[in-house]
Amino acid sequence: PSFILSKFARLKVKSCLSGDGGDELFGGYRRYFNFLKINKIVSNKVLRFFFKYLLIQDLDDLSLKHDSKIYFRFMQLLNYSKYSNTKTLYEKLISFKTIFKFHETKSNNLNEDKNKISETELKKFMMDFDFRNYLPDNNLTKMDRASMKNSLEVRSPLLSKEIIEFIIKIDPNLRINSDKKYLIKKVLEKYIPNSYFERPKRGFSIPLHSWLNDKLFNWATEILKKPNLILIGIINHEEI
């Protein structure tokens, strides 16, 4: 999608602005809210036992059931007893890096008491982690390749030095509020109608999940067989 959009934009302009960094700096990802709920379960022995060993008929109250990816990861986390602290659990939830043999796990933190980290600290950690990992490794890389292939210059004003230095000083509870991107919306409502931005968040990605479970299922299954992963040499097949 980013390539197609860049190709279309280049027909009219030579440069564009993107909103990259907005989710990481202003708490826009739905997973932040989901993980706050997940953490309350995995950090509580009674709740963890309940969800792990009893039949789960309804997760609507957790707003997780509609998100199959998050739900699947959530059920996995209940079995990841070796990842004993909250921060490592979040990394395990969203990061693909652990599948690589050269990935270094911060084992010195594995015995940290999950209850020692406050909700405020967790909010800050999640945004900082994504800002340092998911944003450059996925979003910025994707946009840079898609735009440069079409000779389009894309700039990210939300990643300006001044904005970053300002936002990291703000209370994480304002950045991850009951409303996604709360601070940005409070600024925007001074200049444009709320109907322009009070809309459901929509991703901008290909239907990879559907493809891998349909037309690309056999292809993916063959690639992920243990002998093939060992042959590749850089993938930790035990993680897969």
Side-chain angles (χ1 to χ4, degrees):
S2 296
F3 176 83
I4 296 174
L5 181 60
S6 296
K7 184 176 182 179
F8 174 77
R10 186 61 184 85
L11 297 175
K12 300 291 183 178
V13 298
K14 295 183 178 180
S15 61
C16 287
L17 299 179
S18 82
D20 285 329
D23 288 311
E24 293 80 5
L25 291 173
F26 295 93
Y29 288 126
R30 184 170 60 190
R31 63 171 173 265
Y32 294 153
F33 301 86
N34 284 337
F35 189 73
L36 289 171
K37 299 173 184 176
I38 289 173
N39 184 57
K40 290 180 180 179
I41 296 174
V42 297
S43 61
N44 184 295
K45 292 182 179 180
V46 176
L47 290 177
R48 187 165 65 245
F49 175 85
F50 176 80
F51 278 94
K52 184 175 181 179
Y53 294 105
L54 299 182
L55 291 176
I56 300 178
Q57 300 296 332
D58 191 358
L59 283 180
D60 288 340
D61 289 341
L62 290 174
S63 301
L64 295 174
K65 196 171 184 179
H66 69 283
D67 192 326
S68 58
K69 182 174 68 174
I70 293 294
Y71 173 73
F72 175 73
R73 292 285 185 89
F74 162 66
M75 296 306 294
Q76 281 187 317
L77 289 182
L78 295 180
N79 296 312
Y80 288 152
S81 58
K82 64 179 179 179
Y83 299 103
S84 62
N85 70 74
T86 300
K87 294 180 179 179
T88 312
L89 283 172
Y90 181 73
E91 180 178 354
K92 189 68 180 178
L93 178 70
I94 71 160
S95 179
F96 63 87
K97 290 184 177 182
T98 54
I99 70 172
F100 293 107
K101 291 184 176 180
F102 51 78
H103 174 72
E104 296 182 0
T105 300
K106 298 179 181 179
S107 56
N108 60 311
N109 289 328
L110 291 181
N111 294 320
E112 174 190 333
D113 184 351
K114 293 184 291 293
N115 296 321
K116 288 183 178 179
I117 182 172
S118 68
E119 185 171 290
T120 299
E121 292 173 320
L122 177 55
K123 289 178 179 180
K124 183 179 186 304
F125 170 78
M126 290 190 292
M127 289 184 285
D128 288 349
F129 182 87
D130 285 344
F131 184 81
R132 298 176 184 276
N133 294 274
Y134 186 69
L135 176 64
D137 292 348
N138 185 79
N139 295 351
L140 295 181
T141 299
K142 173 190 65 178
M143 195 67 247
D144 183 64
R145 291 174 177 174
S147 59
M148 286 294 96
K149 180 66 176 179
N150 291 286
S151 301
L152 180 71
E153 293 286 342
V154 175
R155 295 292 178 261
S156 306
L158 292 178
L159 296 178
S160 66
K161 178 175 178 291
E162 293 77 13
I163 291 181
I164 294 175
E165 290 179 342
F166 173 75
I167 197 66
I168 61 176
K169 298 177 183 178
I170 295 178
D171 185 348
N173 292 309
L174 285 177
R175 295 166 63 190
I176 297 183
N177 198 282
S178 57
D179 190 14
K180 300 179 182 69
K181 295 185 180 177
Y182 170 77
L183 293 177
I184 289 184
K185 291 179 179 179
K186 294 300 289 185
V187 173
L188 288 176
E189 67 183 16
K190 295 181 180 180
Y191 304 98
I192 59 178
N194 287 32
S195 59
Y196 285 15
F197 55 82
E198 288 290 357
R199 302 177 181 180
K201 182 176 177 60
R202 296 183 179 180
F204 195 55
S205 58
I206 59 177
L208 186 60
H209 179 78
S210 298
W211 292 352
L212 290 177
N213 283 279
D214 188 14
K215 296 181 180 179
L216 298 181
F217 179 81
N218 293 333
W219 170 79
T221 302
E222 183 66 27
I223 290 178
L224 294 177
K225 287 183 177 179
K226 182 177 178 179
N228 292 333
L229 295 179
I230 294 177
L231 183 63
I232 293 173
I234 63 172
I235 303 294
N236 185 349
H237 63 83
E238 293 180 354
E239 285 287 337
I240 299 296

